[in-house]
Amino acid sequence: MKELPKSIYQVNDSLQLSEHSVEAELPFLQYFNKDVEIISILVPPMPFSKMSELAEPLGKALAKVFKSRDMEWGVEVSLLISTDAVHYGDEDWGGRDFAFFGPDSTGYHQAVDKEHQIINECLAGDLLQGKIKKFTQYTVQDNDYTAYKWTWCGRYSVPFGMLTALNLQQAQNATPLNGMWLDYCTSIDHPPIQVDDMGMGVTAKANIHHWVGYATVVFR
């Protein structure tokens, strides 16, 4: 934070406490490294131009800190972006209808095809600013940056994180990053994990009328 203009960030405990996306990553990180240290950065709604403006000083600040602590990017430190992919269906989305292609098997497959298209065009392959902007154009309304066009909850965290990585790459004069698409699944394409014996219950529906996508892409 000492390396950033004070006008571009705030420390906000209440927002961190209410944000569940960081909490979801912790068990996976701590399973492999109990001593992992995490700096959580929440990205609020903003247009792509603002993301580009803020990601530049953040990338440079990270590069300076890494150098001062002799930390190698990808070895001692990594950037992790947490997001679900599409939220789809016509039931229990707060009265909103996200069944863009219809709430049936045909609509499901069309939605998954579009997910694959977005990942292939925007996230896989060389990390380029034009591809990052294209992701925003897929997911955010052209005339209202607060509104969904395609319902990825990470419509701000994904492009902002990728822009930060791009600026960090440039500040370190590092080898260009390349995205490898590892996997994609949905909440209804596999049986649920049985956790009844642990006293855990259902937190959301998982059926053709209410499902979520999950994508994994690694940049290296």
Side-chain angles (χ1 to χ4, degrees):
M1 289 188 292
K2 292 179 181 178
E3 301 298 332
L4 293 171
K6 293 187 182 300
S7 61
I8 72 170
Y9 71 88
Q10 63 171 272
V11 177
N12 192 312
D13 290 345
S14 61
L15 287 177
Q16 291 283 356
L17 285 169
S18 64
E19 178 52 53
H20 63 276
S21 64
V22 180
E23 172 188 319
E25 304 291 353
L26 295 181
F28 297 96
L29 297 174
Q30 292 175 336
Y31 178 83
F32 291 101
N33 182 0
K34 297 291 185 184
D35 299 320
V36 67
E37 294 182 75
I38 301 164
I39 297 174
S40 173
I41 300 175
L42 305 184
V43 184
M46 67 180 83
F48 184 80
S49 58
K50 191 67 174 179
M51 294 186 201
S52 300
E53 177 187 333
L54 300 183
E56 182 177 359
L58 179 58
K60 290 179 178 178
L62 290 172
K64 188 171 182 179
V65 170
F66 294 172
K67 184 177 181 180
S68 69
R69 299 190 179 194
D70 197 26
M71 300 169 73
E72 184 178 352
W73 187 16
V75 179
E76 288 90 6
V77 63
S78 297
L79 306 183
L80 175 67
I81 306 171
S82 176
T83 179
D84 293 328
V86 73
H87 295 56
Y88 194 94
D90 61 346
E91 292 182 0
D92 294 318
W93 293 117
R96 293 169 292 181
D97 186 351
F98 295 150
F100 306 104
F101 300 111
D104 51 26
S105 60
T106 299
Y108 171 82
H109 290 294
Q110 288 179 321
V112 170
D113 286 345
K114 181 163 183 174
E115 291 276 84
H116 290 186
Q117 179 182 354
I118 292 172
I119 296 168
N120 275 318
E121 292 183 10
C122 306
L123 306 181
D126 292 341
L127 180 60
L128 303 170
Q129 181 152 339
K131 292 169 69 174
I132 304 171
K133 185 175 184 179
K134 191 171 187 178
F135 176 85
T136 300
Q137 293 169 335
Y138 264 120
T139 56
V140 176
Q141 291 289 347
D142 298 334
N143 300 319
D144 182 0
Y145 67 83
T146 66
Y148 283 119
K149 182 186 289 184
W150 186 251
T151 44
W152 276 52
C153 57
R155 62 196 187 279
Y156 309 112
S157 62
V158 170
F160 183 78
M162 293 168 67
L163 286 167
T164 300
L166 187 60
N167 279 279
L168 176 56
Q169 168 197 302
Q170 293 167 351
Q172 291 193 323
N173 196 27
T175 302
L177 292 167
N178 184 274
M180 178 184 295
W181 175 10
L182 296 185
D183 204 357
Y184 179 89
C185 66
T186 74
S187 56
I188 60 172
D189 68 1
H190 56 278
I193 298 172
Q194 295 301 315
V195 292
D196 308 52
D197 60 324
M198 298 170 62
M200 298 178 70
V202 175
T203 57
K205 284 184 175 182
N207 58 50
I208 201 69
H209 295 279
H210 183 112
W211 57 271
V212 178
Y214 311 106
T216 303
V217 180
V218 173
F219 289 89
R220 57 184 184 180

